[in-house]
Amino acid sequence: MSLFGYPATVRHFYAAKDDWGRPLPPTETERAAKVIEEQKLVKNARGEDIQIGYEIHIEGVIPISFDDYFVYKNALDLEVRCDVAHYEVRKFMGTDDVKKVIVYSRPQSI
C-alpha cells in the first residue's frame, strides 16, 4: 500500500456510445500514471460521501466517463481493476489548460 503513490502503466478501457446511446466495445489505451492506494472518503458530484481505495493521476487531457475502467499491476504484481466512482479535472492556475485528471475508484481484483 502506497500513501505517496508510485508510477504505474495503467490500461484505460474507454466505453464510447453509438449515435443511439448504445454502448460500444471498450477501446484500450495504455497511459503513464501515478497510483495512490489509500482508503478515504470523497464527495462525488451529487455531494454524497463515497469510500474509495485508489487515486489514479493522469497528466493531460483524456476522455473519461463513468462506464470506463482502469487495469494496472500493483507493487505485489497483482492485476487490479478500478471502476470510475468520481473524477476531477485539475487546471493550471488562471487558465483553461488541463494539468491532469484524477480518477477516484473502488477497487476490484481480477
Side-chain angles (χ1 to χ4, degrees):
M1 184 152 183
S2 171
L3 295 177
F4 302 109
Y6 52 87
T9 300
V10 297
R11 291 183 298 157
H12 177 200
F13 291 88
Y14 179 68
K17 296 193 177 183
D18 66 4
D19 295 336
W20 292 356
R22 295 177 300 195
L24 296 171
T27 57
E28 179 182 349
T29 307
E30 281 196 2
R31 301 184 185 279
K34 180 176 96 169
V35 178
I36 300 173
E37 298 174 344
E38 176 185 17
Q39 290 188 7
K40 64 180 180 178
L41 290 175
V42 296
K43 291 213 182 275
N44 65 6
R46 290 179 262 174
E48 304 165 342
D49 285 333
I50 56 171
Q51 184 176 3
I52 58 113
Y54 291 85
E55 289 180 28
I56 302 171
H57 296 249
I58 303 170
E59 298 292 325
V61 180
I62 63 166
I64 192 165
S65 72
F66 288 105
D67 296 327
D68 296 0
Y69 63 93
F70 294 84
V71 175
Y72 82 100
K73 287 195 176 192
N74 64 7
L76 299 173
D77 205 33
L78 298 173
E79 202 164 70
V80 178
R81 174 183 166 151
C82 296
D83 293 327
V84 177
H86 180 63
Y87 64 92
E88 294 178 7
V89 177
R90 298 274 174 98
K91 297 182 178 183
F92 288 106
M93 181 90 81
T95 67
D96 285 336
D97 298 331
V98 174
K99 180 179 180 182
K100 67 179 170 180
V101 175
I102 303 174
V103 178
Y104 298 101
S105 167
R106 297 181 186 106
Q108 297 177 350
S109 295
I110 292 180

